[in-house]
Amino acid sequence: MKTLVIAEKPDMGRNISSVIEPKAKNMRSYLEGEQYIITWAIGHLIGLAEPDRYDERYKKWNFGDLPIIPEEFKLLPNPKTKDQLTVIKELAARCDRLVNACDAGREGQHIFSLIRRHLKLLQPVSRLWISDLTAETIRRGFDELKSDAEYANLTEAARARSEADWLIGMNGSRAFTTKHNELLSVGRVQTPVLALIYDRQKQIESFDSLKYYEVNAFFEQGNTTTYRGLWQGDRITDEAKAQAIAEKVKGKTGTVESYEVKDTKEYPFKLYDLTLLQREANGKYGFPAKKTLDVAQALYEKHKVISYPRTNSNYVNEQNIPEMHRIADMLKSVPEYGQMAAGAEKRFVHKNNKAVCNPSKVEDHHAIMPTMKRPGTLSPDERKIYDLIVRRFLSHFYPAAEYKVHTVLTVVEQERFKTTIKQLLSLGWKAIYADGGKDGGDAGAGGAGSRKGKSKADGEQEPEEEEETDGSFELDASQPVACANAEVKTKETQPPKAFTEGTLLKAMESAGKQIEDDELRDAMKDSGLGTPATRAATIERLKQVGYIDMQGKKIVITPKGRTAVELIRGAGVELLTSPEMTGAWEKRLNEIARGQASAEQFMNNVKRFTVQIIDKVRVQRPAVKSAFARPEPAAAGGKGKGGSRRAGGARGAKEAAAAGAGGGQG
């Protein structure tokens, strides 16, 4: 008998077939060769059944029927793809062995597991676990097929995630919807993400701007040296005081109190994981997170020019280093990257370079990289994402950028001024981004760029102390300087910025914590909101249920979204809006996947929390209908897709059920 290979999508199935059964007959819904039959799911063929499949009375939403907690969850085929499920069933009957070739991750594991459970397939299973779809990798993957038993814990984690989302989504959505007579979608992940947006909006609205004044002095020494200094002292809120300091020092002679010169290096930014790629594509091109994921998936699955994109790692394993060297050589023959690749030096990419090779930080998949396959015809959007990945990859084959940092303290009439000048000595890896003004990334996403005028997390503007120059700077600290001029700048503290999809992804990755340190952010990855593969879908879902709108790049919460958060918190189930708690749940799911925690215990906790939600909402007072209404005229000035979208209670049980059950996927 033959072996049945089940891929996640048709393109992936065809890629696999071209390697293991190149002469296979194309039977439209599968490919059949001498040894293997290759077929595919089309995403999720099977899901968890809705409540009315357990009892007819659940077709009507009644608060009195809650909570709904099945003893055993029922599976239901997707009616749109049931024909393909029938194909798999018929093919499996002709085979004595199965290969799970779905995406190598938690969701891919779940898709195959649901098919196997629903069809009651009893054949032994092997697991194909690969990070790209090049012929070499597929061939090696089949030579090194894993036992399905090695992934039993991952299957348990995927099942627990799915069932937990069902319990919170179905019960939470029905409870709040029936209590308040408005379709309110609740989810294990979507609700805390909405709470992040709500809290940021409240910070913006309650922010009191403070006017303050900076004094800048302009110094000269000889005919060649000029520099600017920023007055040092407590923030000045009195304009007259600032003007007095400027007048006091203008035209006077000063002394150099201290002058330090330090050599510094800036190393390339980390290789991309999916979330970092989405953040940078949003910052640079305005791409929504879902668009970046879709484009990256096409580059992986259709074009086979990048490795598996749904990764949460920024590093590679030791065995990837020779492959990286070969890819750098291949890029020399790609016209757009030939010159960059020609300047690449392999000595910088080696197994002891922990900024690149760190096996302890690679679990399922290494960082996103180009593959050995040369890019053919790519769409403009595909080329943009491919370009980001290639440049980031090649940057690691270049030396560090080198600077001299000059720090000067100048005293004039007992007033002290600070100057920081960053003098470029060597571009190093930044030469990769020197054409057409392209830089290494957007602010806050591991991007290149000056700290000049950088915003702090609280929205206040940092003093503009640092200046960059690619010219020379020389100062004789033993000689006096002349204060040629001084001026006062009026400044205002700025409110926190509204989330963009890029900055929201960053907040989701760190469960809402403001984390600037890369090491700490890496440590938080296991306890973020959702996973790299599902964060984009969560943001899209918030748009679909009418909780958020887009105004250009800005995410704006709607009255419905605002009221939803206030009702959930008002009911006393703040835990449902807590990024930290949901992040802790995600961490526990990761521990289940590693065999370090019990899925049964996790589900028992979720069931207890589900009961708690119902008990709390039961005693809540219903909201007034006007609390959900948009102001008239609707969403004036909005540029995004949201428009006047509104989800009302009349949309019916099915839509709300879908919104609720899907609302927590992570």
Side-chain angles (χ1 to χ4, degrees), residues 322-633:
E323 178 189 6
M324 290 178 75
H325 290 176
R326 291 194 297 273
I327 293 166
D329 284 336
M330 180 278 294
L331 288 167
K332 291 177 185 176
S333 66
V334 179
E336 302 96 303
Y337 306 109
Q339 192 173 343
M340 293 178 214
E345 297 184 56
K346 294 174 185 174
R347 64 190 175 94
F348 292 114
V349 176
H350 53 84
K351 66 180 182 180
N352 295 318
N353 179 353
K354 293 301 179 190
V356 175
C357 183
N358 195 334
S360 67
K361 293 183 178 180
V362 180
E363 290 191 6
D364 297 340
H365 301 285
H366 58 68
I368 303 172
M369 303 191 304
T371 66
M372 283 293 294
K373 192 171 187 301
R374 292 182 61 193
T377 303
L378 303 179
S379 72
D381 289 342
E382 288 169 344
R383 187 148 300 280
K384 285 174 181 174
I385 298 300
Y386 183 69
D387 184 73
L388 286 176
I389 293 165
V390 170
R391 287 175 190 263
R392 182 60 64 95
F393 172 82
L394 284 175
S395 70
H396 286 274
F397 289 85
Y398 277 70
E402 296 182 14
Y403 296 88
K404 272 190 189 299
V405 179
H406 305 259
T407 306
V408 186
L409 279 177
T410 308
V411 178
V412 187
E413 298 292 310
Q414 285 83 52
E415 304 293 346
R416 185 173 279 102
F417 296 83
K418 184 178 180 181
T419 303
T420 305
I421 294 174
K422 192 174 176 183
Q423 178 189 352
L424 176 66
L425 301 179
S426 170
L427 264 178
W429 62 271
K430 292 189 178 184
I432 293 284
Y433 300 98
D435 58 334
K438 294 178 181 177
D439 61 17
D442 69 290
S450 165
R451 280 173 50 87
K452 185 174 178 179
K454 180 181 174 185
S455 292
K456 295 196 288 185
D458 60 6
E460 294 183 8
Q461 202 76 1
E462 287 187 348
E464 295 181 5
E465 291 179 351
E466 186 177 279
E467 292 182 7
E468 286 196 24
T469 178
D470 52 7
S472 62
F473 179 78
E474 294 179 4
L475 182 69
D476 186 345
S478 66
Q479 298 298 312
V481 296
C483 181
N485 195 16
E487 64 181 24
V488 174
K489 278 190 176 180
T490 304
K491 299 274 187 173
E492 281 190 41
T493 55
Q494 299 297 311
K497 291 182 177 176
F499 279 118
T500 64
E501 289 202 25
T503 56
L504 182 59
L505 285 167
K506 179 182 177 183
M508 291 171 74
E509 186 177 44
S510 55
K513 295 184 186 299
Q514 288 287 350
I515 300 176
E516 297 303 324
D517 183 86
D518 280 347
E519 289 295 317
L520 281 176
R521 194 180 300 126
D522 281 346
M524 281 296 297
K525 279 191 173 183
D526 272 357
S527 48
L529 296 176
T531 67
T534 60
R535 287 175 189 140
T538 299
I539 296 172
E540 289 301 308
R541 197 170 297 116
L542 292 174
K543 297 175 190 175
Q544 290 159 10
V545 298
Y547 284 162
I548 63 172
D549 280 337
M550 301 302 297
Q551 290 183 359
K553 281 188 182 182
K554 287 197 308 183
I555 296 172
V556 180
I557 195 165
T558 64
K560 181 178 178 179
R562 186 187 294 257
T563 301
V565 174
E566 290 169 353
L567 288 173
I568 292 165
R569 286 177 171 166
V573 282
E574 296 91 340
L575 215 57
L576 195 52
T577 65
S578 165
E580 290 84 359
M581 180 54 63
T582 306
W585 288 6
E586 198 65 53
K587 184 179 181 184
R588 186 55 48 88
L589 287 168
N590 282 309
E591 289 170 351
I592 293 168
R594 298 186 201 114
Q596 299 166 349
S598 160
E600 183 180 3
Q601 185 178 346
F602 172 79
M603 288 305 300
N604 285 337
N605 290 337
V606 173
K607 288 172 185 176
R608 277 198 294 271
F609 184 52
T610 301
V611 173
Q612 184 186 344
I613 291 171
I614 304 308
D615 290 344
K616 297 278 190 180
V617 178
R618 181 176 286 112
V619 296
Q620 192 176 28
R621 293 182 63 178
V624 295
K625 192 70 179 172
S626 59
F628 306 100
R630 293 176 181 271
E632 297 294 341

Side-chain angles (χ1 to χ4, degrees), residues 61-91:
W61 288 31
N62 293 311
F63 195 99
D65 290 332
L66 302 177
I68 302 168
I69 302 177
E71 284 188 24
E72 185 74 25
F73 283 86
K74 293 183 178 181
L75 302 182
L76 188 70
N78 182 341
K80 294 178 182 176
T81 54
K82 63 181 181 181
D83 289 348
Q84 186 62 20
L85 188 63
T86 302
V87 168
I88 294 174
K89 180 179 182 179
E90 291 170 353
L91 294 175

